[in-house]
């Protein structure tokens, strides 16, 4: 059962081939066996998973099941889960039991999905390798010496190793797409505002967006249909109807115009990755799509602007962790300042502290215009580049990441090199566009991801473009040998 | 812009982070490298470009000013590091 997609599992449950309880036990056993090796889960909720599975089976008997009823999933440990530890990969929240469910969690619960547990992640979603987690790095199922990518590395590794058929992730600068690429799975970052951020622990609020990760675009469509939509509790959540994303998957590609940004195929892109991406583009031409070269002239400014905007928002968001109301508190504080400064220094890891410091500096008196204001102006230029591009093309395609998964420890001491692994994903967050990564091949044993970028609220288009490719390729069905 | 340990100490104070003295040189180095990276923005003239604070140029939505949440003080205080009689305890602030 574990080798099936969510769509296949849903059909199996509907036809009575197996029950949700049987299915859930299969995945819990796989997690028990493989998690010590992969470290993909921070918390496994076996007991409540079985209770949810039994409830799903009963609901099915009553004739009230939907497509996700009884389907096991995992949540990135950034989503608050009522009564279950929500650590955000940080010592700061190691003992934080969330007192409520995030909207995304609540919606999947309502759909009848079964939560297997909470997945590992870079601390507060700040990282591209899952190595900043307080709970230790996640290993890539394709090669245990490689990183899974980050920050949603636990979700990506768990899906690739078939420990769960689907999971939630969040993407502030590439945190769904880059680990999806490095682990050989599919993940979509929706348009900013498409999915509620309520109960999703904030990193950079004008960039953060939650989304689904799974084996296929079809599965992502099923999950996104359940989690997307208006939520009055998130003031930036957009009040627009949610289509049935799975219903539109078979839309033909004939006449589709795909833009290939020349800036995404230049220096910095590994030659072997470039070759895989070019083969995927050729496949799209065979399917009837037309490709044109386009330019996103300000692409090289995305990382510099991001490393002002994101740290600035992070320094503000993470000010709430003060050791008073919840989270880590230092021992024997001598006064209030000592309580704040030591609780925060003990509770946060080095990368989080670096970003808080950069953000605090960029917002401090005398530097605001040179850094923060400048970054917001660059953000406008980047967004305008995309607007112009979408006057010419329907979808933009390119690599998700400039290289395949790198080795554990390889970039951990050099923040700048680490930041560059998000070079093709970050601009999308600055503009607020939807974007998807899907498996497109391998370099050696390590997967390569193809990135598709769409116009605002074009998730339906992106998912169908990815789905058509998955109808004629089998990269998404490949299983890492050790977990077959 | 290159930052020294004294600047790091000042920023750390603003950020309410107790950076150990022996860790300060490494932070100074890393932060300087990050600022060097972000200063690549200066290669582009942005005079007259409207700053973009938010990806969707939309008005902030308002809701009716009515009570929407119920009090959950007991649940929230159950996860606090130190409470007594319904109050969050901190070191003495006023003598």
């Amino acid at each position: 059962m574990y080798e099936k997609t969510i769509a296949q599992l849903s059909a199996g449950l509907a036809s009575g081939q197996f029950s949700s309880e049987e299915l859930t036990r299969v995945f819990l056993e796989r997690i028990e066996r493989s998690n010590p090796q992969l470290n993909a889960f921070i918390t496994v909720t076996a007991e409540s998973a079985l209770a949810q599975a039994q409830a799903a089976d009963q609901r099915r008997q009553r004739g009230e099941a939907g497509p996700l009823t009884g389907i096991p999933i995992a949540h990135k440990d950034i989503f608050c889960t009522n009564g279950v530890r929500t650590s955000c990969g940080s010592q700061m929240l190691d003992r934080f039991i969330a007192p409520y469910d995030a909207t995304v969690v609540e919606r999947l619960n309502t759909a009848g999905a079964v939560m297997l547990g909470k997945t590992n992640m870079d601390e507060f979603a700040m990282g591209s390798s899952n190595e900043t987690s307080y709970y230790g790095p996640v290993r890539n199922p394709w090669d245990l010496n490689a990183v899974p990518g980050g920050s949603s590395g636990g979700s990506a590794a768990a899906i690739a190793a078939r420990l769960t058929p689907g999971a939630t992730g969040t993407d502030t600068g590439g945190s769904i797409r880059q680990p999806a690429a490095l682990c050989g799975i599919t993940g979509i970052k929706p348009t900013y505002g498409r999915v509620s951020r309520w109960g999703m622990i904030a990193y950079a609020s004008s960039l953060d967006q939650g989304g689904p990760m799974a084996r296929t675009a079809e599965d992502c469509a099923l999950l996104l249909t359940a989690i997307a939509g208006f939520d009055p509790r998130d003031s930036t959540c957009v009040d627009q109807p949610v289509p049935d994303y799975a219903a539109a998957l078979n839309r033909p590609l004939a006449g589709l115009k795909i833009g290939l940004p020349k800036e995404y195929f230049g220096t910095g892109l590994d030659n072997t990755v470039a070759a895989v991406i070019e083969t995927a583009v050729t496949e799209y031409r065979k399917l009837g799509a037309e490709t044109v070269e386009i330019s996103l002239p300000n692409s090289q400014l995305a990382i510099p602007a991001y490393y002002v905007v994101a740290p600035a928002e992070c320094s503000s968001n993470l000010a709430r962790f003060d050791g008073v109301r919840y989270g880590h508190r230092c021992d024997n504080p001598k006064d209030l300042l000592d309580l704040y400064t030591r609780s925060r220094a003990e509770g946060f890891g080095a990368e989080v502290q670096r970003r808080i410091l950069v953000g605090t500096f960029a917002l401090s008196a005398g530097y605001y215009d040179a850094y923060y204001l400048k970054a917001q102006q660059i953000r406008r230029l980047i967004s305008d580049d995309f607007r112009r591009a979408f006057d010419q093309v329907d979808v933009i395609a390119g690599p998700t990441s400039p290289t395949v998964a790198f080795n554990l420890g390889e970039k951990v001491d050099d923040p700048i090199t680490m930041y560059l692994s998000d070079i093709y994903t970050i601009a999308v967050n600055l503009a607020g566009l939807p974007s998807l990564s899907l498996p497109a091949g391998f370099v050696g044993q390590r997967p390569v991801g193809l990135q598709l970028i769409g116009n605002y609220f074009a998730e339906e288009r992106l998912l169908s473009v990815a789905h058509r490719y998955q109808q004629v390729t089998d990269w998404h069905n490949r299983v890492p040998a050790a977990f077959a | 812009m290159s930052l020294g340990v004294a600047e790091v100490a000042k920023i750390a104070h603003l950020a309410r982070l107790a950076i150990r003295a022996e860790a300060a040189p490494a932070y100074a180095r890393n932060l300087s490298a990050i600022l060097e990276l972000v200063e690549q923005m200066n290669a582009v003239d942005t005079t007259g470009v409207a700053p973009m604070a938010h990806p969707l140029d939309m008005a902030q939505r308002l809701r009716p000013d009515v009570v929407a949440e119920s009090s959950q003080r007991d649940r929230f205080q159950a996860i606090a590091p130190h409470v007594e009689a319904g109050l969050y305890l901190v070191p003495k602030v006023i003598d």
Side-chain angles (χ1 to χ4, degrees), chain A residues 82 96-97 99 192 206 230-231 234-238 301 303-305 307-308 323-327 329 333 335-337 339-341 344-345 350 353-354 356-357 360-361 367 371 374-377 379-381 383 415-416 419 430-432, chain B residues 1 3 8 11-19 27 30-31 33-35 37-58 60-61 63 69 72 75-76 79-82 88-93:
Chain A
N82 195 1
F96 176 69
I97 309 293
Y192 183 86
S206 79
F230 180 61
D231 177 9
D234 170 2
S235 67
T236 60
C237 194
V238 177
L301 297 173
I303 286 184
Y307 279 99
V308 174
V324 175
R325 290 156 306 152
Y326 52 87
R329 170 184 273 205
D335 54 30
L336 193 58
L337 187 67
L339 167 66
Y340 292 152
T341 59
R344 289 164 61 76
Q353 296 195 43
R354 271 198 287 271
I356 291 174
L357 291 168
T360 303
F361 172 74
Y367 296 105
Y371 291 95
K374 181 82 182 178
Q376 289 192 315
Q377 291 175 313
R379 189 173 182 179
R380 173 80 58 193
L381 297 179
S383 172
I416 304 288
Y419 296 171
L430 291 169
Chain B
M1 179 157 181
L3 297 177
V8 168
I11 302 163
H13 173 69
L14 291 173
R16 299 293 184 268
L17 285 170
I19 303 282
Y27 275 111
N30 283 324
L31 263 48
I34 295 168
L35 292 179
L37 172 80
V38 307
E39 280 156 14
Q40 290 173 17
M41 295 190 301
N42 297 331
V44 176
D45 180 10
T46 51
T47 315
V49 176
M52 179 174 164
H54 206 271
L56 305 172
D57 288 316
M58 308 172 69
Q60 187 76 11
R61 197 178 56 246
R63 64 169 179 83
E69 300 285 336
Q72 298 191 53
R75 297 200 67 200
F76 294 158
I79 49 172
H82 208 172
Y88 293 93
L89 295 193
V90 294
K92 198 167 164 185
V93 184

Side-chain angles (χ1 to χ4, degrees), chain A residues 192-276:
Chain A
Y192 183 86
R194 181 76 288 195
V195 172
S196 169
R197 293 183 296 109
W198 198 78
M200 188 178 110
I201 296 170
Y203 157 22
S205 302
S206 79
L207 304 166
D208 295 342
Q209 183 64 200
M213 303 170 79
R215 296 250 313 282
T216 63
E218 183 181 21
D219 287 0
C220 286
L222 291 167
L223 292 168
L224 186 60
T225 304
I227 64 174
F230 180 61
D231 177 9
R233 292 173 298 189
D234 170 2
S235 67
T236 60
C237 194
V238 177
D239 192 358
Q240 227 184 74
V242 180
D244 178 353
Y245 292 108
L249 287 170
N250 285 313
R251 192 167 160 183
L253 292 183
L256 181 83
K257 242 182 178 176
I258 301 180
L260 306 171
K262 62 177 187 206
E263 292 81 5
Y264 286 25
F265 292 88
T267 38
L269 177 63
D270 186 279
N271 286 336
T272 54
V273 172
V276 170

Side-chain angles (χ1 to χ4, degrees), chain A residues 439-452:
Chain A
F442 289 84
V443 172
Q445 288 300 306
R446 301 186 185 187
V448 173
L450 173 72
Q451 179 175 223
L452 301 173

Side-chain angles (χ1 to χ4, degrees), chain A residues 64-377:
Chain A
E64 293 161 11
L68 294 177
T69 306
I71 299 289
I73 53 143
H75 285 298
K76 183 177 183 180
D77 210 14
I78 198 168
F79 288 100
C80 284
T81 41
N82 195 1
V84 176
R85 173 172 63 176
T86 300
S87 74
C88 220
S90 181
Q91 184 179 359
M92 181 61 82
L93 294 175
D94 183 43
R95 280 173 292 179
F96 176 69
I97 309 293
Y100 61 94
D101 280 326
T103 298
V104 163
V105 172
E106 190 182 270
R107 289 192 176 166
L108 284 167
N109 283 343
T110 305
V114 172
M115 179 176 82
L116 298 168
K118 309 287 297 284
T119 57
N120 203 343
M121 55 181 285
D122 279 297
E123 186 179 7
F124 283 100
M126 298 177 202
S128 310
S129 69
N130 219 114
E131 292 170 293
T132 71
S133 170
Y134 172 64
Y135 302 91
V138 176
R139 288 171 185 275
N140 190 317
W142 292 97
D143 183 339
L144 297 177
N145 295 316
V147 302
S151 67
S152 312
S155 290
I159 293 162
R162 310 310 194 239
L163 307 188
T164 179
T168 52
T170 61
D171 193 315
T172 304
S175 282
I176 286 176
R177 292 160 287 154
Q178 186 255 18
L182 271 43
C183 288
I185 63 151
T186 307
I188 182 167
K189 179 206 100 71
T191 306
Y192 183 86
R194 181 76 288 195
V195 172
S196 169
R197 293 183 296 109
W198 198 78
M200 188 178 110
I201 296 170
Y203 157 22
S205 302
S206 79
L207 304 166
D208 295 342
Q209 183 64 200
M213 303 170 79
R215 296 250 313 282
T216 63
E218 183 181 21
D219 287 0
C220 286
L222 291 167
L223 292 168
L224 186 60
T225 304
I227 64 174
F230 180 61
D231 177 9
R233 292 173 298 189
D234 170 2
S235 67
T236 60
C237 194
V238 177
D239 192 358
Q240 227 184 74
V242 180
D244 178 353
Y245 292 108
L249 287 170
N250 285 313
R251 192 167 160 183
L253 292 183
L256 181 83
K257 242 182 178 176
I258 301 180
L260 306 171
K262 62 177 187 206
E263 292 81 5
Y264 286 25
F265 292 88
T267 38
L269 177 63
D270 186 279
N271 286 336
T272 54
V273 172
V276 170
I277 298 301
E278 275 152 29
T279 308
V281 169
T282 307
E283 193 64 52
Y284 270 114
R285 281 194 209 105
K286 282 192 215 156
L287 288 167
E290 183 195 336
T291 57
V292 283
E293 189 186 270
I294 57 164
S295 176
L296 301 168
N298 294 294
S299 293
Q300 84 287 358
L301 297 173
I303 286 184
Y306 177 87
Y307 279 99
V308 174
V309 172
E313 295 185 14
C314 128
S315 73
S316 165
N317 271 326
L318 271 60
R320 76 190 66 185
F321 298 100
D322 57 4
V324 175
R325 290 156 306 152
Y326 52 87
H328 177 76
R329 170 184 273 205
C330 67
D331 288 332
N332 306 314
K334 66 177 196 299
D335 54 30
L336 193 58
L337 187 67
D338 185 44
L339 167 66
Y340 292 152
T341 59
R342 268 202 300 132
S343 298
R344 289 164 61 76
E346 290 169 11
F348 294 136
E351 181 60 21
V352 172
Q353 296 195 43
R354 271 198 287 271
R355 295 197 196 187
I356 291 174
L357 291 168
V358 169
T360 303
F361 172 74
L363 294 175
S364 64
Y367 296 105
Y368 181 89
D369 286 1
Y371 291 95
Y372 191 62
L373 199 68
K374 181 82 182 178
Q376 289 192 315
Q377 291 175 313

